[in-house]
Amino acid sequence: MLAGMGTVFVFLTLLVFATSGMSALVRRFEPVADPESAGVSEEEVAAITAAIALHRTRHRKKHSG
Amino acid sequence: MLAGMGTVFVFLTLLVFATSGMSALVRRFEPVADPESAGVSEEEVAAITAAIALHRTRHRKKHSG
Amino acid sequence: MLAGMGTVFVFLTLLVFATSGMSALVRRFEPVADPESAGVSEEEVAAITAAIALHRTRHRKKHSG
Amino acid sequence: MELIREIWQGSGLYQLTPGQAVMIGVGLLLLYLAIVKKFEPLLLVTIGFGGILSNIPGVEIATGDGLLHLVYMVGIETGAFPLIIFMGVGAMTDFGPLLANPKTLFLGAAAQFGIFATLLGALGLTAAGVFDFSVREAAAIGIIGGADGPTAIYVAGLLAPDLLGAIAVAAYSYMALVPLIQPPIMKLLTTESERRIEMIQLREVSRTERILFPLLLLLLVALLLPSAAPLLGMFCFGNLMKECGVVDRLSDTTQNALINVVTIFLGLAVGSKLSAEQFLQSSTLGILLLGMVAFAIGTASGVLMAKLMNRLSATPINPLIGAAGVSAVPMAARVANRVGLEANPHNYLLMHAMGPNVAGVIGSAVAAGIMIMFTS
Amino acid sequence: MELIREIWQGSGLYQLTPGQAVMIGVGLLLLYLAIVKKFEPLLLVTIGFGGILSNIPGVEIATGDGLLHLVYMVGIETGAFPLIIFMGVGAMTDFGPLLANPKTLFLGAAAQFGIFATLLGALGLTAAGVFDFSVREAAAIGIIGGADGPTAIYVAGLLAPDLLGAIAVAAYSYMALVPLIQPPIMKLLTTESERRIEMIQLREVSRTERILFPLLLLLLVALLLPSAAPLLGMFCFGNLMKECGVVDRLSDTTQNALINVVTIFLGLAVGSKLSAEQFLQSSTLGILLLGMVAFAIGTASGVLMAKLMNRLSATPINPLIGAAGVSAVPMAARVANRVGLEANPHNYLLMHAMGPNVAGVIGSAVAAGIMIMFTS
Amino acid sequence: MELIREIWQGSGLYQLTPGQAVMIGVGLLLLYLAIVKKFEPLLLVTIGFGGILSNIPGVEIATGDGLLHLVYMVGIETGAFPLIIFMGVGAMTDFGPLLANPKTLFLGAAAQFGIFATLLGALGLTAAGVFDFSVREAAAIGIIGGADGPTAIYVAGLLAPDLLGAIAVAAYSYMALVPLIQPPIMKLLTTESERRIEMIQLREVSRTERILFPLLLLLLVALLLPSAAPLLGMFCFGNLMKECGVVDRLSDTTQNALINVVTIFLGLAVGSKLSAEQFLQSSTLGILLLGMVAFAIGTASGVLMAKLMNRLSATPINPLIGAAGVSAVPMAARVANRVGLEANPHNYLLMHAMGPNVAGVIGSAVAAGIMIMFTS
Ligand code: NA
Ligand code: NA
Ligand code: NA
């Protein structure tokens, strides 16, 4: 059991270091913010989703059997 | 053939009784109406309108292969 | 290789003739435009569909695991 | 020169048998009926195309390691595809009208008379030397009268795989022909005044009743007729997913992506059984004929049962809705509605006919279970 | 007379064993919990229904050539279904909170203590003669403490297929019971002032970090713990599809149609293992008990680890988020949030708890890999 | 101590061969090209990830009973996945521009010259001792010049399964490189004034023509070249579902959920063939080189054919659209459009180039059928 828990901890500790290192590197060499947070309003998102849903439902027909 | 039709009738007769009994029980112990029939909110109407507008400017993507 | 390319060309040449012939026949015997634009207005259909789509999306839940 | 000969001998034109040419024509005919006449297009487009593919000479697609043959083995020989489609149909079925008026289950029972009459007829004609059907084949043919595609394919796959192509084609064709086959029979067996009967409006059905019904049906099947449990079990499962309200995402996928994918491959796989050797048999003619008879008898017995119930019942029952008991959802219910409107322009029977209509699905699945129990 | 006897002897009522009746009751109970109590409905509706189907006597559906048995063999014996579900879960997982605070991975590690403690407990109770579990069975039971359905099913399918039904039912039931099981443990192990701790807001995480993380995790798994590679590989693949932004159509289908279809068949197939002979064993009781213990220990060790980290760390850590380390995404994170709000009405822990929550998924997959490596 | 050694020896780092390390790098490179450079991401993300998974040492995922190996056997060895993708591509294809100008089929034919030239080249280089390809392998390599992923995978799966990974990677990489590979060749072979040629607007194509075309194509294939029938049959089936207008729900699912699911598993399964032993061979270098040559020759012969047709035809034909005959839909058509715009800013060739573009799909499927007929 100790070996098991130990391996879990070792693995996740390595993952913590690897992740932190990766993030540090990324933030160093790519310090610019993502343009994702630009103002897409929730309403727009909702409307787009509805449009897609609409497109799908529009082609739906009943299945008879 | 008689046995076959007989079995179909016996089965469905039992189902009629079971269903009627079940419905009677349900209606006795749960006489309240479902609250499903609420109105359409203004937000929904807005979303639908937006969806229609977007639908007209929508375009599909092609799958390359 | 010659046989291969030859077969490709023969096949597609036949397809050119068959297609041209088919199109000629279709255009001769069915010169009228498609009557697709009859019936319910697009706006009506779109609105109804969007309403249904919205109704469904509202009931969707996340998948936990 | 060698090469040209090799190409020519590899060509379909060189290898084509007259039977294959005929079957390609049959495939094109099914496509015509599906696309131009709009006869059950979901199945007849796929079956028709599969039929053409399976009659292309010199290519393994419907045989050996070919895709359609693999799909047939994986999806139909195991019964998986019809069961999955039945699950999808369950997820699309509204039992409300049936729950509001459970007596309509009797109409769904009566309309199955066509199945058993046809079974008997097929055995009789075999005894008379006209056809040569085994009991299992006769049972599979009778099920055509159930007017239910997946049930017919499921039973045929189990009891008479050699006849599967013809049975499926007959079942879907007659389902498509409901608007032509049923009205004359309905008018013959009812009086003008019967067709004018207006029915009282159906009561509201609560969500609890809708949730409990598929479970009730499942338990009854489990206890009384386990051989119908695969078909009705999957049907009830689909319906429970729809009605329980907590697994909408599963229900949505079942009604859309899943049933569509399975329909495509089911159709192609059924089409792969339309090979010339299997289809161009006198038995196919017999199947088409007997299927039509089964269908007509089912319609008639549904109408007659509704007439009887109308006499015995306190509330009026329009005999036309009995015809919807053959299932062929929702076409048969629409036909009942239309014929009713012809007699009485204020008489909307559609919702009343949906009860027997879905009852017919249950009825033919029960009949299928009985067939399977007795013959296997 | 003959016929009626035949029908009667073919009926389920005649063949029903008491065990089957009990199991049908268990299936109905699972449906009740899923539909009325909304306990993990996606899985408990499908498992419950599959359980009923598999206990219908006299019908091959969960055995032999029956559909559910085929689905079990194709989907679970090969490990395909849990892996595909894990891919879908990956495509639904947001590693943002974890990336903003990677230390929370320790909480996901600590909460796996329940898994190993239970493994030891099961072996100890076997040595003491209370139960009779092999090492592989004990390992599969321990994984229940991982609070991760697909992982539990994957491991049980590999190590202890006979216990799969009970293990899956235990895993999903306890995941559903998180709001009941966890709060008392959380409150017992924390002081009021600890529960009030507010955490500093998480930083924004860039798209590049999100894309690189699943690759980093995959490579670490590949290099250090290949036995966890199937599970975590598919998980990372799903997450990469979601985050990379160039295959949205694949990611969408993975999160919807694909995971839904697989969930339906996974649930039915797991349900097919709820046969009376397999489920009505004293071992099932042991599994339920040990699973509960595993769950409680995991919760406790997560909370204790968070307390320890709070002492050692410069930035404050609310110990409640440690409980989310068992995974049970996103329920456990919501529970941490709710208990936090009770102590401090301005304390929204949800996003902070999502870090340990997804870390717990990784942690239990790692633990699963270790179990598989040591026992197979 | 024992345990730590066991864990270390079970780790990937201990077992990793240099070849596997290289192949993990290749997988990461493919992911980079897909995600950052947006090279055919749908396939290169999935193939790249599958490639990494298949090179993790000490774990059965791409071999034995592993998921990817099972998927490979079920989906690629049977030919099912490429055929289903082809059905989906058919359901996404608009034959309108081709029907408006059927002569463009000649361009789709000419561009297949690259396939046969490469076949001959591969055999020549084998005779010269440079490479060591069998006739079947040479044929499978030639198909890369068809610039059609599913066709290449289908043919490679049938004729040269050992080379499948390399062939698929080459095919999709070169399709992605169309914007780099084609323009220089196009400019080299055309004069400025030829590139400026404006074409007359395409006529409207009726729905009936669109419905009849896939059937016509199917029948021609059936009668003349049955070995191309599986590929073109499924392609025509998909297109018929799209155009017939009565099975839109099937067509939608084919274009979305179905093709997406199959793409995911096709990509992973192809990736599972990127094992170090199979990929790190001199033959892979040969495949990449020859594939590039095939691609370039196809582009050139398409352009030259268009020049010839422009001389012979009454209506003007811009030779640039000939390059679109290699298929690589719709990238090659866009490239033709872009190069045309450079020469003449009012010259929109996109719709004109779509004709040869889809003709190229037919052309390479026909060429594939010929290869299969002659070599198997
Ligand atoms: Na019926
Ligand atoms: Na966990
Ligand atoms: Na091509």
Side-chain angles (χ1 to χ4, degrees):
Chain A
M1 191 190 78
L2 278 180
M5 256 332 266
T7 313
V8 172
F9 262 106
V10 168
F11 184 88
L12 291 184
T13 305
L14 285 171
L15 187 56
V16 169
F17 286 120
T19 305
S20 306
M22 180 273 285
S23 284
L25 281 176
V26 167
R27 299 175 79 188
R28 176 155 195 172
F29 293 105
E30 195 200 50
V32 201
D34 278 357
E36 269 182 303
S37 50
V40 182
S41 78
E42 272 190 37
E43 271 174 315
E44 272 176 296
V45 172
I48 290 163
T49 320
I52 293 161
L54 173 158
H55 168 67
R56 284 189 186 156
T57 355
R58 211 177 167 207
H59 292 271
R60 259 175 218 167
K61 278 169 191 174
K62 278 228 67 165
H63 186 282
S64 69
Chain B
M1 191 190 78
L2 277 179
M5 257 331 267
T7 313
V8 172
F9 262 106
V10 169
F11 184 89
L12 291 184
T13 305
L14 286 170
L15 186 57
V16 170
F17 285 120
T19 305
S20 305
M22 179 273 286
S23 284
L25 281 174
V26 167
R27 300 175 80 188
R28 177 154 195 173
F29 292 104
E30 194 200 51
V32 200
D34 280 356
E36 270 183 298
S37 51
V40 184
S41 79
E42 273 187 38
E43 272 176 310
E44 276 174 301
V45 172
I48 290 165
T49 316
I52 293 162
L54 267 164
H55 171 67
R56 286 174 181 153
T57 55
R58 200 195 56 240
H59 64 91
R60 270 189 209 173
K61 282 180 193 165
K62 284 224 69 169
H63 185 282
S64 72
Chain C
M1 192 191 77
L2 278 179
M5 257 331 267
T7 313
V8 172
F9 262 106
V10 169
F11 184 87
L12 291 184
T13 305
L14 286 171
L15 187 57
V16 170
F17 285 122
T19 305
S20 306
M22 178 273 284
S23 284
L25 281 175
V26 168
R27 300 175 79 188
R28 175 153 196 173
F29 291 105
E30 194 201 49
V32 202
D34 280 355
E36 271 181 296
S37 51
V40 191
S41 85
E42 273 191 35
E43 273 174 312
E44 273 177 295
V45 172
I48 292 163
T49 322
I52 294 161
L54 266 169
H55 173 68
R56 282 192 187 160
T57 355
R58 259 193 300 159
H59 290 270
R60 258 171 218 166
K61 280 170 192 171
K62 281 223 71 167
H63 185 283
S64 74
Chain D
M1 232 50 262
E2 258 316 290
L3 272 167
I4 291 176
R5 184 139 56 83
E6 195 177 329
I7 292 171
W8 165 240
Q9 290 180 354
S11 79
L13 212 54
Y14 176 84
Q15 301 176 51
L16 193 75
T17 66
Q20 289 173 322
V22 171
M23 287 313 295
I24 289 178
V26 169
L28 290 172
L29 175 68
L30 293 178
L31 291 177
Y32 171 81
L33 294 174
I35 296 171
V36 180
K37 297 289 179 191
K38 307 216 174 358
F39 277 18
E40 292 286 329
L42 295 175
L43 268 296
L44 291 192
V45 164
T46 49
I47 293 177
F49 206 96
I52 296 174
L53 282 180
S54 70
N55 283 285
I56 296 176
V59 60
E60 275 196 351
I61 185 159
T63 57
D65 287 338
L67 179 60
L68 298 195
H69 184 63
L70 295 179
V71 169
Y72 179 83
M73 288 197 306
V74 168
I76 299 194
E77 227 165 72
T78 64
F81 283 177
L83 290 179
I84 294 171
I85 299 232
F86 228 53
M87 176 171 77
V89 172
M92 289 168 164
T93 296
D94 177 8
F95 279 122
L98 179 67
L99 284 163
N101 193 4
K103 277 180 303 181
T104 54
L105 280 164
F106 289 123
L107 300 174
Q112 311 315 320
F113 190 73
I115 293 178
F116 295 97
T118 306
L119 160 62
L120 222 67
L123 293 178
L125 287 172
T126 296
V130 181
F131 293 120
D132 182 25
F133 294 121
S134 69
V135 177
R136 305 183 82 184
E137 288 173 342
I141 295 168
I143 286 290
I144 298 171
D148 200 276
T151 301
I153 291 171
Y154 182 77
V155 172
L158 279 180
L159 301 185
D162 284 349
L163 306 182
L164 185 113
I167 287 174
V169 167
Y172 283 103
S173 302
Y174 294 146
M175 279 163 64
L177 289 171
V178 153
L180 297 180
I181 298 175
Q182 288 199 322
I185 300 170
M186 293 157 80
K187 287 178 186 164
L188 186 72
L189 295 175
T190 53
T191 64
E192 178 80 15
S193 65
E194 280 173 330
R195 293 200 291 277
R196 277 206 213 101
I197 294 174
E198 293 187 19
M199 295 178 67
I200 54 169
Q201 217 197 315
L202 293 175
R203 70 170 175 91
E204 289 273 305
V205 172
S206 77
R207 204 178 138 238
T208 311
E209 287 174 83
R210 289 170 190 271
I211 294 174
L212 289 177
F213 181 73
L215 292 171
L216 195 74
L217 176 54
L218 173 72
L219 290 182
L220 218 60
V221 168
L223 296 182
L224 299 180
L225 197 65
S227 54
L231 272 175
L232 281 174
M234 294 305 277
F235 186 66
C236 290
F237 179 56
N239 192 250
L240 181 67
M241 285 199 288
K242 172 184 178 241
E243 298 292 1
C244 73
V246 292
V247 294
D248 286 346
R249 57 178 292 157
L250 302 186
S251 167
D252 279 356
T253 295
T254 305
Q255 292 177 45
N256 291 291
L258 181 55
I259 200 173
N260 289 346
V261 167
V262 174
T263 299
I264 290 170
F265 290 111
L266 175 87
L268 290 176
V270 167
S272 79
K273 301 300 274 187
L274 294 187
S275 66
E277 312 91 79
Q278 287 188 310
F279 195 83
L280 295 179
Q281 301 286 340
S282 63
S283 64
T284 298
L285 206 67
I287 290 166
L288 291 171
L289 271 171
L290 288 165
M292 173 72 90
V293 169
F295 215 89
I297 295 178
T299 303
S301 50
V303 173
L304 292 173
M305 181 56 141
K307 284 180 74 145
L308 180 67
M309 283 172 66
N310 185 40
R311 302 241 169 107
L312 301 178
S313 159
T315 54
I317 292 171
N318 188 314
L320 293 175
I321 71 169
V326 295
S327 48
V329 183
M331 187 88 83
R334 284 192 201 140
V335 167
N337 188 56
R338 214 187 56 211
V339 177
L341 282 174
E342 282 172 21
N344 173 352
H346 303 294
N347 199 5
Y348 291 94
L349 293 173
L350 188 63
M351 288 315 286
H352 298 286
M354 286 309 295
N357 213 194
V358 298
V361 178
I362 299 173
S364 47
V366 168
I370 293 166
M371 296 294 197
I372 293 166
M373 186 175 69
F374 279 123
T375 62
S376 63
Chain E
M1 231 50 259
E2 257 318 289
L3 272 168
I4 290 174
R5 184 137 57 84
E6 195 176 330
I7 292 171
W8 165 239
Q9 290 180 354
S11 79
L13 212 53
Y14 175 84
Q15 300 177 52
L16 193 74
T17 65
Q20 289 173 323
V22 170
M23 287 312 294
I24 289 177
V26 169
L28 290 173
L29 174 68
L30 293 177
L31 291 178
Y32 171 81
L33 294 175
I35 296 172
V36 180
K37 297 290 178 190
K38 307 216 173 359
F39 278 18
E40 292 287 328
L42 295 175
L43 268 296
L44 290 192
V45 164
T46 50
I47 293 177
F49 206 96
I52 297 175
L53 282 180
S54 71
N55 282 286
I56 296 175
V59 61
E60 276 195 350
I61 184 158
T63 57
D65 287 338
L67 178 60
L68 298 195
H69 184 63
L70 294 178
V71 169
Y72 179 84
M73 289 198 305
V74 168
I76 298 195
E77 227 164 71
T78 64
F81 283 177
L83 290 179
I84 295 170
I85 298 233
F86 228 53
M87 175 171 78
V89 172
M92 288 166 165
T93 295
D94 177 7
F95 279 122
L98 179 68
L99 285 163
N101 193 4
K103 279 179 301 182
T104 53
L105 279 165
F106 290 122
L107 301 174
Q112 312 315 318
F113 189 73
I115 293 178
F116 295 97
T118 306
L119 160 61
L120 222 65
L123 292 177
L125 288 171
T126 296
V130 181
F131 293 122
D132 181 27
F133 292 122
S134 69
V135 178
R136 307 183 79 182
E137 288 172 343
I141 294 167
I143 287 289
I144 297 171
D148 200 276
T151 300
I153 292 172
Y154 182 77
V155 172
L158 279 180
L159 301 184
D162 284 350
L163 306 182
L164 185 113
I167 287 174
V169 166
Y172 282 103
S173 301
Y174 294 145
M175 281 163 63
L177 288 172
V178 154
L180 297 180
I181 297 175
Q182 289 198 320
I185 300 170
M186 293 157 78
K187 286 177 187 164
L188 187 72
L189 296 175
T190 53
T191 64
E192 178 80 15
S193 66
E194 280 174 330
R195 293 201 290 277
R196 278 206 213 101
I197 294 174
E198 292 188 19
M199 295 178 67
I200 54 169
Q201 216 196 318
L202 294 174
R203 70 171 176 89
E204 289 273 304
V205 173
S206 77
R207 203 178 138 239
T208 312
E209 288 173 85
R210 291 170 189 272
I211 294 174
L212 290 177
F213 180 74
L215 292 171
L216 195 73
L217 176 54
L218 174 72
L219 290 182
L220 218 59
V221 168
L223 296 182
L224 299 180
L225 197 65
S227 54
L231 270 176
L232 281 173
M234 294 306 277
F235 186 66
C236 291
F237 179 56
N239 192 250
L240 182 68
M241 285 200 288
K242 172 185 178 240
E243 299 292 0
C244 73
V246 292
V247 293
D248 286 346
R249 58 180 292 157
L250 302 186
S251 167
D252 280 357
T253 295
T254 305
Q255 292 177 46
N256 291 293
L258 181 54
I259 200 174
N260 290 346
V261 166
V262 174
T263 299
I264 290 170
F265 289 112
L266 175 86
L268 290 176
V270 167
S272 79
K273 301 299 274 187
L274 294 187
S275 65
E277 312 94 77
Q278 288 188 308
F279 195 83
L280 295 179
Q281 302 286 339
S282 63
S283 65
T284 296
L285 207 66
I287 290 166
L288 291 172
L289 271 171
L290 287 165
M292 173 72 88
V293 169
F295 214 89
I297 295 178
T299 302
S301 51
V303 171
L304 291 174
M305 181 56 142
K307 284 179 75 142
L308 180 67
M309 284 172 65
N310 184 40
R311 302 244 167 105
L312 301 178
S313 160
T315 54
I317 292 172
N318 189 314
L320 293 175
I321 69 167
V326 296
S327 48
V329 183
M331 186 89 80
R334 283 192 202 140
V335 166
N337 187 57
R338 213 188 56 211
V339 177
L341 282 174
E342 283 173 19
N344 173 353
H346 304 295
N347 199 4
Y348 291 95
L349 293 172
L350 188 63
M351 287 317 285
H352 298 285
M354 286 309 296
N357 213 193
V358 299
V361 178
I362 298 174
S364 47
V366 168
I370 292 166
M371 297 292 198
I372 293 166
M373 187 176 65
F374 279 122
T375 61
S376 63
Chain F
M1 230 53 258
E2 258 315 292
L3 271 168
I4 290 174
R5 185 139 56 84
E6 195 177 329
I7 292 171
W8 166 241
Q9 290 179 355
S11 80
L13 212 52
Y14 175 84
Q15 301 177 51
L16 193 74
T17 67
Q20 289 173 324
V22 171
M23 287 313 294
I24 289 177
V26 170
L28 290 172
L29 175 68
L30 293 178
L31 291 178
Y32 171 80
L33 294 174
I35 296 172
V36 180
K37 297 289 179 191
K38 307 215 172 4
F39 278 17
E40 292 286 329
L42 295 175
L43 268 296
L44 291 192
V45 164
T46 50
I47 293 177
F49 205 96
I52 297 175
L53 283 180
S54 70
N55 283 286
I56 297 176
V59 59
E60 276 195 350
I61 184 158
T63 56
D65 287 338
L67 179 60
L68 298 195
H69 184 64
L70 294 179
V71 169
Y72 179 84
M73 289 198 306
V74 168
I76 298 194
E77 225 164 75
T78 64
F81 283 177
L83 290 179
I84 294 171
I85 299 234
F86 228 54
M87 175 170 78
V89 172
M92 289 166 164
T93 296
D94 177 9
F95 279 123
L98 179 68
L99 284 163
N101 193 4
K103 278 179 303 181
T104 54
L105 280 164
F106 289 122
L107 301 174
Q112 312 315 318
F113 189 73
I115 293 178
F116 295 98
T118 307
L119 160 62
L120 222 66
L123 293 177
L125 288 171
T126 295
V130 180
F131 292 121
D132 182 26
F133 293 122
S134 69
V135 178
R136 306 183 81 182
E137 289 173 342
I141 294 167
I143 286 290
I144 297 172
D148 200 277
T151 301
I153 292 172
Y154 182 77
V155 172
L158 278 180
L159 301 184
D162 283 350
L163 306 181
L164 185 113
I167 287 175
V169 166
Y172 283 103
S173 301
Y174 294 145
M175 280 163 63
L177 288 172
V178 153
L180 297 180
I181 298 175
Q182 288 200 321
I185 301 170
M186 293 157 79
K187 287 176 186 165
L188 187 73
L189 296 175
T190 53
T191 65
E192 177 80 15
S193 66
E194 279 174 330
R195 294 201 289 278
R196 277 206 214 102
I197 295 174
E198 293 187 20
M199 295 178 66
I200 53 169
Q201 217 198 317
L202 294 174
R203 69 169 176 90
E204 288 273 305
V205 173
S206 77
R207 205 178 137 237
T208 311
E209 288 173 84
R210 290 169 189 272
I211 294 174
L212 289 178
F213 181 74
L215 292 172
L216 196 72
L217 176 53
L218 173 72
L219 290 182
L220 219 59
V221 168
L223 295 182
L224 299 179
L225 197 64
S227 54
L231 271 176
L232 281 174
M234 293 306 276
F235 187 66
C236 291
F237 179 56
N239 192 250
L240 181 67
M241 284 200 288
K242 173 187 178 239
E243 298 293 1
C244 73
V246 292
V247 293
D248 286 346
R249 58 178 292 155
L250 302 186
S251 167
D252 278 359
T253 294
T254 305
Q255 292 177 45
N256 291 292
L258 182 54
I259 200 173
N260 290 345
V261 167
V262 174
T263 299
I264 291 170
F265 290 111
L266 175 87
L268 289 176
V270 167
S272 79
K273 300 299 274 186
L274 294 187
S275 66
E277 312 94 77
Q278 286 188 311
F279 195 82
L280 295 179
Q281 302 287 340
S282 63
S283 63
T284 297
L285 206 67
I287 289 167
L288 291 171
L289 271 172
L290 288 165
M292 172 72 88
V293 169
F295 215 88
I297 296 179
T299 303
S301 51
V303 172
L304 291 174
M305 181 55 144
K307 283 179 76 142
L308 180 68
M309 284 171 67
N310 185 39
R311 302 242 169 106
L312 301 177
S313 159
T315 54
I317 293 171
N318 189 314
L320 293 175
I321 69 168
V326 296
S327 47
V329 183
M331 186 88 82
R334 283 191 202 143
V335 167
N337 187 57
R338 214 187 56 210
V339 177
L341 282 174
E342 283 172 19
N344 173 352
H346 304 294
N347 199 4
Y348 292 94
L349 293 172
L350 188 63
M351 288 316 286
H352 299 286
M354 286 309 296
N357 214 194
V358 298
V361 178
I362 299 173
S364 48
V366 168
I370 292 165
M371 296 292 198
I372 293 166
M373 186 174 69
F374 278 123
T375 63
S376 64

